[in-house]
Amino acid sequence: MQRHLGTGQQPVQDASQMHIGPSGLCLVREEQQLQLNTLEPVNTLRHSATGSTGSGQHYPLSPSSSVGTPTATVSVVPVAAAAPDVEAPAAADHQQQQQQLVEHPSTKRNASWKFVNYCIIPLALPLLAAWWLLALLLAAAATFSIWPSLLLARRLYWACPFIPCIWAKLAREQGALAAWLLRLQFEGAHCVTVLGRLLSLPLRPHLPAFYILGFPKCGTTSLASYLRAHPGISGISGMPGHEAFGKESHFFGGMLGRGAASSATLYRSSFPTIMTRWWAEVVRGVPRWLCFDACPTYACLPYMAARAKALTPNAKLVVMVRDPAAGVFSAETMLRNMGVDLPWSLSTPLAHGTDAAGHSSDPRFQFPADADEFWQHLQRLGPEEPLPEDMPQRFYTHLHSYLMAGRFADRLQPWLDAFGPDNLLLVDYKQFVAQPEATVRQVLTFVGADISRYSFKQQAARMVGQYKGARMHPEVAGWLHANWFADSNAAIARMLAGGKPQPEAWP
């Protein structure tokens, strides 16, 4: 698989080995590669010497897990090497990158675009602003009629079934009146936001230039916040004052309805207006304005890649990864803090022993027969099909779903098949925490933003887990690494390290 991590070039002695190249799937690190433990021999790598993910040699991967998890498949493309370097690009490389940015077809400014940008929009600006303001006023008026707010809230709560648990917890801790008032404010703000975007839809012609796919609790919120600090980058047109819904649309998760998760028109309503782009490119003078969607579930569910490809075929993909066992426990902690009554916990010791089939006898890992069927159904789901009725509830509350999401190699394969390795950047969560500026600049370069216009400012960590003394039991962590995540982790390690195991380990 192609990777680019820095800008310095060096000769390669063996072209069959993976090295760090100038484009492709990237790991943002300085001196270390992604390091995992329990690196068992991996029998599967789909290796393409031509650079195409659709051809080359195929090696079957036998999962080391004894719990019936699916096989991880990894696409690998050997390329010429470049030395790993996450620092800001050198002046010559930056100049070359900017020249490529200007010459790229998607960023060329032809005469008609300049005419629109410098003549039409300035003249129409009062009308456009009036339209946008009227849309908000009409949305607020419609919200007071109650039923639009109830309808949109019902769809939101279907897609995000943990939100009602928050209101129940608030009612227990702060009283029913306080919880009711906060819920009323939240549902009203959500209704005004969605209706206002729909009523101003003709002003919103944009779809995302890139995605932060994320996995739960892997730094998606923090990375999105850093990127939005760039004058030429905008996130979604989200709910004001709400950290999560200010960055993540949950569109492919069905926030606007089970049957509405494939409409390009509805998806456009999630992003800023042409006035935002005009302000960035004309007033602030950035060479290219970009918008993005950052959602921590997009890489988890296998049907989403095909839908994103259908709507945004040229989008870039940024994925943050961390130790999957730690990520699952962090997600559990977050849900419990929101009041979700989970029927499982990773804090208690492992029940030793195996059943007749060789699976763990621990009841937490004895999954119902339809658990794998559920994931297979999601994999077969067509781009236009309505989402399964029970999908959000199963995804957010079943341990099996979180463990499946943590098998990064499996989850990334649909995105690689759809978009190709050249369009995917893999970011190490640890490196992002240790060197946020270098990581953010690498991401900006990858998505095609002008890094000379970016001024880094350290930000506080976002949506930090509140563990309150809770921790994952070491026996459970060890068992998950050895039996559930081992083959997937090994595949990711070889994807990123040229097939060579690393001596150190997650976490």
Side-chain angles (χ1 to χ4, degrees), residues 49-108:
T50 63
S52 169
T53 60
S55 63
Q57 303 177 20
H58 295 69
Y59 306 95
L61 172 66
S62 300
S64 59
S65 171
S66 61
V67 289
T69 54
T71 298
T73 305
V74 179
S75 305
V76 181
V77 181
V79 296
D85 179 15
V86 297
E87 299 300 329
D93 297 314
H94 171 65
Q95 183 179 3
Q96 180 181 7
Q97 184 259 338
Q98 292 304 314
Q99 181 67 20
Q100 293 173 349
L101 175 63
V102 173
E103 293 177 353
H104 193 279
S106 64
T107 62
K108 288 183 177 178

Coordinates of all heavy atoms in Angstrom, one line a residue, residues 49-108:
A49 N 2.1 -5.2 -7.4 CA 3.3 -4.5 -7.8 C 3.1 -3.4 -8.8 O 4.0 -2.7 -9.1 CB 4.2 -5.6 -8.4
T50 N 1.9 -3.3 -9.3 CA 1.6 -2.3 -10.3 C 1.0 -1.1 -9.8 O 0.9 -0.1 -10.4 CB 0.6 -2.9 -11.4 OG1 -0.6 -3.1 -10.7 CG2 1.1 -4.1 -12.0
G51 N 0.7 -1.1 -8.5 CA 0.1 0.1 -7.8 C -1.4 0.1 -7.9 O -2.0 1.1 -7.5
S52 N -2.0 -0.9 -8.4 CA -3.5 -1.0 -8.5 C -4.0 -1.9 -7.4 O -3.5 -3.0 -7.2 CB -3.9 -1.5 -9.9 OG -5.2 -1.8 -9.9
T53 N -5.0 -1.5 -6.8 CA -5.6 -2.3 -5.8 C -6.4 -3.4 -6.3 O -6.9 -4.3 -5.6 CB -6.5 -1.5 -4.8 OG1 -7.5 -0.9 -5.7 CG2 -5.7 -0.4 -4.1
G54 N -6.7 -3.5 -7.6 CA -7.5 -4.5 -8.2 C -6.7 -5.6 -8.8 O -7.3 -6.5 -9.4
S55 N -5.4 -5.6 -8.8 CA -4.6 -6.6 -9.4 C -3.4 -6.9 -8.5 O -3.1 -6.3 -7.5 CB -4.1 -6.2 -10.7 OG -3.2 -5.0 -10.6
G56 N -2.6 -8.0 -8.9 CA -1.5 -8.3 -8.1 C -1.7 -9.7 -7.4 O -2.6 -10.4 -7.7
Q57 N -0.8 -10.0 -6.5 CA -0.8 -11.2 -5.8 C -1.7 -11.2 -4.6 O -1.8 -10.2 -3.9 CB 0.6 -11.6 -5.3 CG 1.6 -11.7 -6.5 CD 3.0 -12.0 -6.1 OE1 3.2 -12.5 -4.9 NE2 4.0 -11.7 -6.9
H58 N -2.4 -12.3 -4.3 CA -3.3 -12.3 -3.2 C -2.9 -13.4 -2.2 O -2.6 -14.5 -2.7 CB -4.8 -12.6 -3.6 CG -5.3 -11.5 -4.4 ND1 -4.9 -11.2 -5.7 CD2 -6.3 -10.6 -4.2 CE1 -5.5 -10.2 -6.2 NE2 -6.4 -9.8 -5.3
Y59 N -2.8 -13.1 -0.9 CA -2.5 -14.1 0.1 C -3.6 -14.2 1.1 O -3.9 -13.2 1.7 CB -1.2 -13.7 0.8 CG 0.0 -13.4 -0.2 CD1 0.2 -12.1 -0.6 CD2 0.8 -14.4 -0.7 CE1 1.2 -11.8 -1.5 CE2 1.8 -14.1 -1.6 CZ 2.0 -12.9 -2.0 OH 3.0 -12.6 -2.8
P60 N -4.1 -15.4 1.3 CA -5.2 -15.5 2.3 C -4.8 -15.3 3.7 O -3.7 -15.7 4.1 CB -5.7 -16.9 2.1 CG -4.5 -17.6 1.6 CD -3.8 -16.7 0.7
L61 N -5.5 -14.6 4.5 CA -5.2 -14.2 5.8 C -6.0 -15.1 6.8 O -7.3 -15.0 6.7 CB -5.5 -12.8 6.1 CG -5.3 -12.3 7.6 CD1 -3.9 -12.4 8.0 CD2 -5.8 -10.9 7.7
S62 N -5.4 -15.9 7.6 CA -6.2 -16.7 8.5 C -6.2 -16.0 9.9 O -5.2 -15.8 10.5 CB -5.4 -18.1 8.7 OG -5.4 -18.7 7.5
P63 N -7.4 -15.6 10.3 CA -7.5 -14.9 11.5 C -7.1 -15.8 12.7 O -7.4 -16.9 12.8 CB -9.0 -14.5 11.6 CG -9.7 -15.5 10.8 CD -8.7 -15.9 9.7
S64 N -6.3 -15.2 13.6 CA -5.9 -15.9 14.8 C -7.0 -15.9 15.8 O -6.9 -16.7 16.8 CB -4.6 -15.2 15.4 OG -4.9 -13.9 15.7
S65 N -8.0 -15.2 15.7 CA -9.1 -15.1 16.6 C -9.9 -16.4 16.6 O -10.1 -17.0 15.6 CB -10.0 -14.0 16.3 OG -11.2 -14.0 17.1
S66 N -10.3 -16.8 17.8 CA -11.1 -18.0 17.9 C -12.6 -17.7 18.2 O -13.3 -18.5 18.7 CB -10.6 -18.9 19.1 OG -10.7 -18.1 20.3
V67 N -13.0 -16.5 17.9 CA -14.3 -16.1 18.2 C -15.1 -15.8 16.9 O -16.1 -15.1 16.9 CB -14.4 -14.9 19.1 CG1 -13.9 -15.2 20.5 CG2 -13.5 -13.7 18.5
G68 N -14.7 -16.3 15.8 CA -15.5 -16.2 14.6 C -15.5 -14.9 13.9 O -16.4 -14.5 13.2
T69 N -14.4 -14.1 14.1 CA -14.3 -12.8 13.5 C -14.0 -12.9 12.0 O -13.3 -13.9 11.7 CB -13.3 -11.9 14.2 OG1 -12.1 -12.5 14.2 CG2 -13.8 -11.6 15.6
P70 N -14.3 -12.0 11.2 CA -14.1 -12.1 9.7 C -12.6 -11.9 9.4 O -11.8 -11.3 10.2 CB -14.9 -11.0 9.1 CG -15.1 -10.0 10.2 CD -15.1 -10.8 11.5
T71 N -12.2 -12.4 8.2 CA -10.9 -12.2 7.8 C -10.5 -10.8 7.4 O -11.3 -10.1 6.7 CB -10.6 -13.1 6.6 OG1 -10.9 -14.5 7.0 CG2 -9.2 -13.0 6.0
A72 N -9.4 -10.4 7.8 CA -8.9 -9.0 7.5 C -8.2 -9.1 6.1 O -7.4 -10.1 5.9 CB -7.9 -8.5 8.5
T73 N -8.4 -8.2 5.3 CA -7.7 -8.2 3.9 C -7.1 -6.8 3.8 O -7.7 -5.8 4.1 CB -8.8 -8.4 2.8 OG1 -9.5 -9.6 3.1 CG2 -8.1 -8.4 1.5
V74 N -5.8 -6.8 3.4 CA -5.1 -5.6 3.3 C -4.6 -5.4 1.8 O -4.0 -6.4 1.3 CB -4.0 -5.5 4.3 CG1 -3.2 -4.2 4.1 CG2 -4.5 -5.7 5.7
S75 N -4.7 -4.2 1.3 CA -4.1 -4.0 0.0 C -2.8 -3.3 0.1 O -2.7 -2.3 0.9 CB -5.1 -3.0 -0.8 OG -6.3 -3.6 -0.9
V76 N -1.8 -3.8 -0.5 CA -0.4 -3.2 -0.3 C 0.2 -2.9 -1.7 O 0.1 -3.7 -2.6 CB 0.5 -4.2 0.4 CG1 1.9 -3.6 0.6 CG2 -0.1 -4.6 1.7
V77 N 0.7 -1.7 -1.8 CA 1.4 -1.3 -3.0 C 2.8 -0.8 -2.7 O 3.0 0.2 -2.0 CB 0.6 -0.1 -3.7 CG1 1.3 0.3 -5.0 CG2 -0.8 -0.5 -4.0
P78 N 3.8 -1.5 -3.2 CA 5.2 -1.0 -3.0 C 5.5 0.2 -3.8 O 5.2 0.3 -5.0 CB 6.1 -2.2 -3.4 CG 5.2 -2.9 -4.4 CD 3.8 -2.7 -4.0
V79 N 6.2 1.2 -3.2 CA 6.6 2.4 -3.9 C 8.0 2.8 -3.6 O 8.6 2.3 -2.6 CB 5.6 3.6 -3.5 CG1 4.2 3.3 -4.0 CG2 5.6 3.8 -2.0
A80 N 8.5 3.8 -4.3 CA 9.8 4.3 -3.9 C 9.8 5.0 -2.6 O 8.7 5.5 -2.2 CB 10.3 5.3 -5.0
A81 N 10.9 5.1 -1.9 CA 10.9 5.5 -0.5 C 11.1 7.0 -0.4 O 11.7 7.6 -1.2 CB 12.0 4.7 0.2
A82 N 10.6 7.4 0.8 CA 11.0 8.8 1.2 C 11.2 8.7 2.7 O 10.4 8.0 3.4 CB 9.9 9.8 0.9
A83 N 12.1 9.4 3.3 CA 12.4 9.3 4.7 C 11.2 9.8 5.5 O 10.7 10.8 5.2 CB 13.7 10.0 5.0
P84 N 10.9 9.1 6.6 CA 9.8 9.7 7.5 C 10.1 11.0 8.1 O 11.2 11.2 8.6 CB 9.6 8.6 8.5 CG 10.9 7.9 8.6 CD 11.5 7.9 7.2
D85 N 9.2 11.9 7.9 CA 9.4 13.3 8.4 C 8.1 13.9 8.6 O 7.3 14.1 7.7 CB 10.3 14.1 7.5 CG 10.5 15.5 7.9 OD1 10.2 15.8 9.1 OD2 10.9 16.3 7.1
V86 N 7.7 14.3 9.8 CA 6.4 14.9 10.1 C 6.5 16.4 10.3 O 5.6 17.0 10.7 CB 5.7 14.2 11.2 CG1 5.4 12.8 10.9 CG2 6.5 14.3 12.5
E87 N 7.7 16.9 10.2 CA 7.9 18.3 10.4 C 7.3 19.1 9.2 O 7.0 18.5 8.1 CB 9.4 18.7 10.5 CG 10.0 18.0 11.7 CD 9.4 18.3 13.0 OE1 8.9 19.5 13.1 OE2 9.3 17.5 13.9
A88 N 7.2 20.4 9.3 CA 6.7 21.2 8.2 C 7.6 21.0 7.0 O 8.8 20.9 7.1 CB 6.7 22.7 8.6
P89 N 7.0 21.0 5.8 CA 7.8 20.8 4.6 C 8.9 21.8 4.4 O 8.7 23.0 4.8 CB 6.8 20.8 3.5 CG 5.5 20.5 4.1 CD 5.6 21.1 5.5
A90 N 10.0 21.5 3.8 CA 11.0 22.4 3.4 C 10.5 23.4 2.4 O 9.5 23.2 1.8 CB 12.2 21.7 2.9
A91 N 11.2 24.5 2.3 CA 10.7 25.6 1.4 C 10.5 25.1 0.0 O 9.5 25.4 -0.6 CB 11.7 26.8 1.5
A92 N 11.5 24.4 -0.5 CA 11.4 23.9 -1.9 C 10.2 23.0 -2.1 O 9.4 23.1 -3.1 CB 12.7 23.3 -2.4
D93 N 10.0 22.0 -1.1 CA 8.9 21.1 -1.2 C 7.6 21.8 -1.1 O 6.6 21.5 -1.7 CB 9.1 20.0 -0.2 CG 10.3 19.2 -0.3 OD1 10.6 18.8 -1.5 OD2 11.0 19.0 0.6
H94 N 7.5 22.8 -0.2 CA 6.3 23.6 0.0 C 5.9 24.3 -1.3 O 4.8 24.3 -1.7 CB 6.4 24.5 1.1 CG 5.3 25.5 1.2 ND1 4.0 25.1 1.5 CD2 5.3 26.8 1.1 CE1 3.2 26.1 1.5 NE2 3.9 27.2 1.3
Q95 N 7.0 24.9 -2.0 CA 6.7 25.6 -3.2 C 6.2 24.6 -4.3 O 5.3 25.0 -5.0 CB 8.0 26.3 -3.7 CG 7.8 27.1 -5.0 CD 9.1 27.8 -5.4 OE1 10.1 27.6 -4.7 NE2 9.0 28.6 -6.4
Q96 N 6.8 23.4 -4.3 CA 6.3 22.4 -5.3 C 4.9 22.0 -5.0 O 4.1 21.9 -5.9 CB 7.3 21.2 -5.3 CG 6.9 20.1 -6.3 CD 7.8 19.0 -6.2 OE1 8.7 18.9 -5.3 NE2 7.6 18.0 -7.1
Q97 N 4.6 21.8 -3.7 CA 3.2 21.4 -3.3 C 2.2 22.5 -3.7 O 1.1 22.2 -4.2 CB 3.2 21.1 -1.8 CG 1.9 20.6 -1.3 CD 1.0 21.7 -0.7 OE1 1.6 22.7 -0.2 NE2 -0.3 21.5 -0.6
Q98 N 2.6 23.8 -3.5 CA 1.7 24.8 -3.8 C 1.5 25.0 -5.3 O 0.4 25.3 -5.8 CB 2.2 26.2 -3.2 CG 2.1 26.2 -1.7 CD 0.7 25.9 -1.2 OE1 -0.3 26.5 -1.7 NE2 0.6 25.0 -0.2
Q99 N 2.6 24.7 -6.1 CA 2.5 24.7 -7.5 C 1.5 23.7 -8.0 O 0.7 23.9 -8.9 CB 3.8 24.6 -8.2 CG 3.8 24.6 -9.7 CD 3.5 26.0 -10.2 OE1 3.6 27.0 -9.5 NE2 3.0 26.1 -11.5
Q100 N 1.6 22.5 -7.5 CA 0.7 21.4 -7.8 C -0.7 21.7 -7.4 O -1.6 21.4 -8.2 CB 1.2 20.1 -7.1 CG 2.5 19.5 -7.6 CD 3.0 18.4 -6.8 OE1 2.4 18.1 -5.7 NE2 4.0 17.7 -7.3
L101 N -0.9 22.4 -6.3 CA -2.2 22.8 -5.9 C -2.8 23.7 -6.9 O -4.0 23.6 -7.2 CB -2.1 23.5 -4.5 CG -3.4 24.1 -3.9 CD1 -4.4 22.9 -3.7 CD2 -3.1 24.8 -2.6
V102 N -2.1 24.7 -7.4 CA -2.6 25.7 -8.3 C -2.9 25.0 -9.6 O -3.9 25.4 -10.3 CB -1.6 26.8 -8.5 CG1 -2.1 27.8 -9.6 CG2 -1.5 27.6 -7.2
E103 N -2.1 24.1 -10.0 CA -2.2 23.5 -11.3 C -3.3 22.4 -11.4 O -3.6 21.9 -12.4 CB -0.9 22.9 -11.8 CG 0.1 24.0 -12.1 CD 1.5 23.4 -12.5 OE1 1.6 22.2 -12.4 OE2 2.4 24.2 -12.9
H104 N -3.7 21.9 -10.2 CA -4.7 20.8 -10.2 C -6.0 21.3 -10.8 O -6.4 22.4 -10.6 CB -4.9 20.4 -8.7 CG -5.7 19.1 -8.6 ND1 -7.0 19.0 -8.8 CD2 -5.2 17.9 -8.3 CE1 -7.4 17.8 -8.6 NE2 -6.3 17.1 -8.3
P105 N -6.6 20.4 -11.7 CA -7.8 20.8 -12.4 C -8.9 21.3 -11.5 O -9.7 22.2 -11.8 CB -8.2 19.6 -13.1 CG -6.9 18.8 -13.3 CD -6.1 19.1 -12.0
S106 N -9.0 20.7 -10.3 CA -10.1 21.1 -9.4 C -9.9 22.5 -8.8 O -10.8 23.0 -8.2 CB -10.3 20.1 -8.3 OG -9.1 20.0 -7.5
T107 N -8.7 23.0 -8.9 CA -8.4 24.3 -8.3 C -8.2 25.4 -9.3 O -7.9 26.6 -8.9 CB -7.2 24.2 -7.3 OG1 -6.1 23.8 -8.0 CG2 -7.5 23.2 -6.2
K108 N -8.2 25.1 -10.6 CA -8.0 26.2 -11.6 C -9.1 27.1 -11.6 O -10.3 26.7 -11.5 CB -7.8 25.5 -12.9 CG -6.4 24.8 -13.1 CD -6.3 24.3 -14.5 CE -4.9 23.6 -14.7 NZ -4.7 23.1 -16.0

